[in-house]
Amino acid sequence: KAGVTQTPRYLIKTRGQQVTLSCSPISGHRSVSWYQQTPGQGLQFLFEYFSETQRNKGNFPGRFSGRQFSNSRSEMNVSTLELGDSALYLCASSLAGEAGYTFGSGTRLTVV
Amino acid sequence: GDSVTQMEGPVTLSEEACLTINCTYTATGYPSLFWYVQYPGEGLQLLLKATKADDKGSNKGFEATYRKETTSFHLEKGSVQVSDSAVYFCALSDYSSASKIIFGSGTRLSIRP
């Protein structure tokens, strides 16, 4: 079966713009989580959505937001981009939030 | 709060050598423990997991045992291959918040032919 699919794979944006990243979880998975990976901070949890509701949230500013649709697909939005937002953004899914999430290949965002 | 500490890299070994990557954790509850692997340009792949004390996770020749008394989850492999070259992340998640995975800083492993 198909894995976690993230689009686009690469993105270049200008400081001050906003961006939307998309994630399609494994079919049947209802929990979707987002992570930011940078060389300096490593992997950090952004938020989790389950059945269209945000269930957990990490320590990121309000510029980072997300949503989940009824088909479990999720989007992440970052507004007023800063240079420090340049990172690999990873999406992960699981059936119902149990241990052992499956990750996608990520979207590499570069802010110039 | 909960945290994961793993050995600094990079680690360079010759093919067929034995591998150990140390990982210790701090957690208030009873976490699940994981090893994830990241190949160049890719996302994370779950390598193995253990959900309770004394459990042993294993996959592709890699093993790790959940040691509650030493709060450790060391990754081991008896004979590494060039294809094992990657970055390895030790991680934990609390039973009440499995989606919020806390990762170690990662250990880069390079295997020489």
Side-chain angles (χ1 to χ4, degrees), chain B residues 92-106:
Chain B
L92 68 80
S93 70
D94 186 80
Y95 77 98
S96 64
S97 177
S99 65
K100 188 173 179 177
I101 303 171
I102 296 170
F103 289 88
S105 57

Side-chain angles (χ1 to χ4, degrees), chain A:
Chain A
K1 62 184 177 183
V4 178
T5 303
Q6 293 187 244
T7 56
R9 285 296 306 271
Y10 302 92
L11 209 46
I12 300 175
K13 289 287 188 179
T14 304
R15 195 169 43 180
Q17 287 186 313
Q18 75 163 17
V19 67
T20 299
L21 312 182
S22 179
C23 172
S24 293
I26 291 172
S27 179
H29 284 194
R30 292 163 62 197
S31 172
V32 175
S33 298
W34 289 87
Y35 289 80
Q36 181 196 64
Q37 185 178 24
T38 60
Q41 299 298 317
L43 282 149
Q44 293 184 288
F45 173 75
L46 280 154
F47 29 66
E48 181 221 356
Y49 285 86
F50 181 81
S51 293
E52 303 178 64
T53 301
Q54 189 180 85
R55 193 160 69 168
N56 270 306
K57 189 176 189 306
N59 296 323
F60 278 81
R63 299 186 298 107
F64 291 82
S65 63
R67 60 178 175 168
Q68 187 181 33
F69 302 94
S70 58
N71 62 359
S72 293
R73 191 176 70 85
S74 177
E75 287 182 347
M76 191 192 101
N77 185 276
V78 187
S79 63
T80 320
L81 283 165
E82 300 176 0
L83 296 179
D85 297 333
S86 295
L88 180 66
Y89 290 89
L90 293 164
C91 169
S93 75
S94 85
L95 201 59
E98 72 284 5
Y101 274 66
T102 301
F103 282 77
S105 297
T107 294
R108 184 163 296 282
L109 171 66
T110 302
V111 182
V112 296

Side-chain angles (χ1 to χ4, degrees), chain B residues 31-71:
Chain B
S32 294
L33 302 175
F34 314 91
W35 278 99
Y36 280 87
V37 58
Q38 187 173 36
Y39 298 100
E42 296 293 322
L44 298 172
Q45 295 180 24
L46 178 62
L47 182 59
L48 52 84
K49 70 178 181 181
T51 57
K52 62 182 188 296
D54 300 324
D55 268 1
K56 177 186 281 189
S58 60
N59 186 25
K60 298 181 182 179
F62 290 90
E63 292 183 339
T65 301
Y66 189 141
R67 301 282 188 204
K68 189 168 182 292
E69 64 276 13
T70 55
T71 62

